[in-house]
């Protein structure tokens, strides 16, 4: 029996950094977009290069195990050099792999991560086996016997299992944390709502929440200074649409600006825990899974759970690799003791 079951993707990630990368900002009346660009037609020199294992199913399983939970992972891989690398990476990790699925007819997920000088990234992703997870691949008995089911973003045809696993978990009194992915969000809110109704915790970044709700976060104008408010009114509107269950917590992360949460009564804001930024890949997985775990650690104190999550994600972004820099609960609490001015706010 496991405390936590995670289900999601598994990839081999190749990080590529070049000093020739440019960040281009494009403004319209209603929004701001940023793009990473390289000189067209040029041979671009690579400044740094490394390979790491990643994917939401792996990242969150490693984090839960590192936080002291008996954890098992469900993900699908091929039988190739990339799957060998993924399995090798778990040799020193306390994660049960008895529920993973390996298919020699499929290729293992693979990503190229283009890292900017600011530490942010653009991901070129080949989904491979990650997009082919089927209901018959899943060990439902393992889910039934777990305390928490963490659903990381699923891709392609794998999203077809979302309803089944979320319904099954709730029917068997398994706590569900759902981190929506773009493949699910693109199917529209009516499709997403059925899954949201079975989730105790829902975590999205601001862009995902905007895609799910079709609500755009308006920039400041001469007449309205939204940035002066603790929580943007459009983000509050997102919360109100996403919260479809009574005993449900919705979390929206906003990159370097911090994170917000809503439980139906109070809004919470937690700033980013400051630290060096090398790569932001894996920060969202670390944040979401730590928040879920920290609710138990803090007796369901949402504000403190946001702080724990921010500290742990700050550790991840300080190093290359989606599971590098992860902290234990004791290490998180030590950092908070040393930074007592760091806190959250209610709105």
């Amino acid at each position: 029996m496991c405390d936590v079951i995670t289900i999601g993707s598994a990839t081999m990630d190749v990080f590529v950094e070049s000093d020739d990368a440019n960040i281009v900002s494009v403004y319209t009346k209603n929004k701001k977009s940023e793009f990473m660009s390289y000189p067209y037609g040029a041979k671009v020199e690579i400044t740094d290069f490394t390979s790491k294992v990643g994917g939401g199913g792996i990242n969150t399983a490693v984090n839960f195990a590192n936080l002291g939970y008996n954890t098992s992972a469900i993900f699908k891989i091929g039988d190739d050099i990339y799957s060998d690398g993924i399995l090798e990476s778990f040799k020193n990790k306390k994660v049960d792999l008895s529920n993973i699925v390996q298919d020699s007819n499929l290729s293992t997920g693979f990503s190229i991560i283009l890292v900017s000088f600011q530490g942010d990234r653009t991901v070129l992703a080949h989904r491979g086996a990650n997009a082919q997870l089927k209901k018959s691949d899943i060990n439902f008995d393992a889910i039934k016997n777990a305390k928490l089911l963490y659903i990381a973003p699923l891709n392609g045809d794998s999203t077809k299992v979302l309803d089944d696993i979320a319904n099954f978990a709730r029917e068997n009194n398994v706590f569900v944390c759902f981190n929506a992915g773009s493949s699910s969000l693109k199917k529209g809110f009516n499709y997403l709502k059925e899954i949201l109704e079975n989730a105790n915790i829902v975590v999205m970044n601001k862009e995902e929440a905007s895609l799910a709700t079709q609500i755009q976060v308006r920039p400041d104008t001469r007449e309205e200074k939204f940035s002066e408010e603790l929580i943007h009114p459009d983000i509050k509107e997102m919360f109100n649409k996403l919260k479809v269950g009574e005993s449900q917590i919705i979390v929206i992360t906003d990159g370097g600006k911090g994170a917000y949460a809503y439980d139906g009564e109070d809004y919470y804001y937690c700033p980013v825990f400051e630290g060096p930024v090398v790569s932001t890949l894996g920060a969202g997985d670390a944040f979401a899974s730590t928040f879920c775990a920290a609710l138990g650690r803090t007796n369901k104190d949402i504000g403190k759970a946001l702080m724990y999550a921010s500290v742990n994600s700050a550790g991840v972004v300080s190093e290359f690799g989606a599971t590098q820099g992860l902290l234990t609960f004791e290490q998180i609490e030590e950092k908070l003791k040393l930074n007592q001015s760091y806190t959250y706010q209610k709105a």
Side-chain angles (χ1 to χ4, degrees), residues 21-294:
N22 301 297
I23 308 299
V24 180
S25 298
V26 177
Y27 293 82
T28 66
K29 182 178 180 181
N30 296 318
K31 68 175 183 177
K32 170 189 173 185
S33 301
E34 292 188 324
F35 301 87
M36 188 184 298
S37 70
Y38 296 87
Y40 182 69
K43 180 178 288 186
V44 179
E45 294 290 332
I46 293 175
T47 308
D48 201 2
F49 172 91
T50 188
S51 298
K52 302 286 184 181
V53 169
I58 288 181
N59 298 341
T60 54
V62 172
N63 187 38
F64 279 117
N66 195 59
L67 291 170
Y69 290 90
N70 185 9
T71 305
S72 183
I74 299 174
F75 55 79
K76 195 166 188 175
I77 55 177
D79 185 7
D80 46 35
I81 59 171
Y82 304 123
S83 64
D84 292 342
I86 287 172
L87 296 175
E88 178 70 23
S89 73
F90 277 99
K91 283 193 172 180
N92 297 319
K93 305 288 192 304
K94 296 180 180 179
V95 176
D96 171 38
L97 299 182
S98 63
N99 295 308
I100 69 168
V101 183
Q102 194 163 15
D103 188 334
S104 60
N105 295 315
L106 299 173
S107 59
T108 301
F110 180 82
S111 295
I112 298 173
I113 297 96
L114 304 174
V115 184
S116 80
F117 58 87
Q118 293 177 329
D120 217 330
R121 79 283 185 276
T122 294
V123 181
L124 307 178
H126 168 62
R127 303 301 185 186
N130 293 316
Q132 301 297 324
L133 189 67
K134 300 174 183 177
K135 184 177 178 180
S136 58
D137 292 328
I138 297 170
N139 184 346
F140 281 91
D141 285 338
I143 294 175
K144 182 178 180 179
N145 293 320
K147 298 175 182 177
L148 167 66
L149 172 66
Y150 183 98
I151 306 173
L154 294 171
N155 308 291
D157 288 344
S158 296
T159 59
K160 295 176 182 178
V161 305
L162 277 173
D163 279 341
D164 290 323
I165 60 176
N167 285 330
F168 180 85
R170 286 303 299 271
E171 287 170 2
N172 288 277
N173 298 313
V174 179
F175 200 83
V176 177
C177 183
F178 175 50
N179 184 198
S182 58
S183 293
S184 304
L185 299 177
K186 289 175 182 176
K187 293 188 176 184
F189 188 77
N190 288 336
Y191 165 81
L192 190 68
K193 186 178 179 182
E194 296 181 16
I195 303 164
L196 295 177
E197 288 172 343
N198 287 305
N200 302 91
I201 302 172
V202 178
V203 184
M204 299 182 189
N205 63 37
K206 186 178 69 176
E207 291 72 27
E208 291 164 343
S210 179
L211 180 60
T213 61
Q214 294 299 298
I215 297 169
Q216 297 289 336
V217 177
R218 292 164 291 172
D220 285 353
T221 65
R222 285 190 296 270
E223 294 78 24
E224 296 179 291
K225 302 296 182 184
F226 302 113
S227 61
E228 295 177 357
E229 301 186 42
L230 185 64
I231 300 178
H232 198 294
D234 293 333
I235 291 179
K236 288 185 177 181
E237 190 178 350
M238 289 178 185
F239 276 129
N240 290 325
K241 186 169 183 178
L242 290 169
K243 193 176 189 310
V244 296
E246 290 186 11
S247 57
Q248 189 177 54
I249 300 169
I250 310 295
V251 178
I252 297 176
T253 61
D254 194 7
K257 293 181 181 179
Y260 317 93
Y262 178 57
D263 63 358
E265 295 183 5
D266 297 308
Y267 296 96
Y268 299 79
Y269 167 69
C270 183
V272 165
F273 188 79
E274 295 297 334
V277 177
V278 175
S279 169
T280 58
L281 192 74
D285 290 329
F287 188 100
S289 52
T290 303
F291 178 81
C292 294

